[in-house]
């Protein structure tokens, strides 16, 4: 009887543990900082991915592939900028991309995938590499 109870408990732990791990989690503060610091976010844009590298010191860099750069509107194939966390948002400012304006994003993470909503209402998805 005890063995059956133990096996049942183990089964439910594995089954529901996996389900809970797949639940979306809103990131903020230190969680958000840890999720991106030293990592690359691959932002999905149309059929392309834009890799953005977030360095631990608050700098970031991005580089478009040749095809994506050809379709861009004169902002250049690569850029550098600064990033920081403000409350529950990841904020960033590029040197030339996005007209050098600051934008902040709210992130919801599910495994290595994230959904984001920018402070102007635009939204999208990315993966953390």
């Amino acid at each position: 009887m005890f063995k059956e109870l133990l096996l049942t408990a183990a089964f439910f732990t594995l089954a529901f543990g996996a389900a809970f791990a797949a639940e979306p989690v809103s990131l903020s503060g230190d969680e958000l900082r840890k999720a991106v610091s030293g990592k690359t976010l691959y932002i999905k844009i149309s059929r392309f991915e834009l890799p953005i590298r977030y360095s631990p010191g608050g700098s970031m860099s991005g580089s478009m592939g040749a095809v994506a750069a050809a379709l861009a509107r004169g902002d250049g194939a690569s850029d550098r900028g600064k990033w920081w966390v403000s409350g529950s948002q990841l904020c960033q400012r590029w040197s030339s991309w996005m007209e050098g304006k600051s934008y902040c994003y709210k992130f919801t993470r599910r495994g290595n995938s994230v959904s984001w909503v920018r402070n102007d209402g635009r939204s999208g998805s990315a993966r953390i590499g």
Side-chain angles (χ1 to χ4, degrees), residues 45-49 64-77 97:
I45 302 172
S46 297
R47 295 181 308 266
F48 304 101
E49 284 189 327
M64 291 185 231
V67 174
L71 297 174
R73 297 184 200 137
D75 288 332
W97 287 354

Side-chain angles (χ1 to χ4, degrees), residues 1-126:
M1 178 74 168
F2 180 72
K3 188 175 181 181
E4 282 181 34
L5 182 61
L6 192 58
L7 287 172
T8 301
F11 170 77
F12 280 108
T13 300
L14 290 173
F16 289 109
F20 290 134
E23 287 295 312
V25 175
S26 295
L27 299 175
S28 63
D30 286 337
E31 285 179 321
L32 182 53
R33 192 174 289 105
K34 287 178 188 175
V36 300
S37 184
K39 304 215 176 51
T40 301
L41 244 63
Y42 295 87
I43 309 295
K44 294 178 184 166
I45 302 172
S46 297
R47 295 181 308 266
F48 304 101
E49 284 189 327
L50 172 64
I52 301 174
R53 173 82 177 148
Y54 292 89
S55 297
S59 64
M60 62 181 188
S61 60
S63 182
M64 291 185 231
V67 174
L71 297 174
R73 297 184 200 137
D75 288 332
S78 63
D79 198 6
R80 296 187 145 327
K82 300 286 181 193
W83 71 271
W84 63 97
V85 173
S86 178
S88 63
Q89 299 182 88
L90 172 72
C91 301
Q92 60 186 40
R93 183 178 59 246
W94 292 101
S95 296
S96 61
W97 287 354
M98 302 173 77
E99 300 175 352
K101 294 180 182 176
S102 295
Y103 288 96
C104 295
Y105 303 78
K106 289 190 178 200
F107 283 84
T108 302
R109 182 176 188 169
R110 182 182 298 232
N112 284 336
S113 297
V114 293
S115 298
W116 53 266
V117 178
R118 197 165 70 185
N119 58 337
D120 65 357
R122 291 198 64 185
S123 61
S125 61

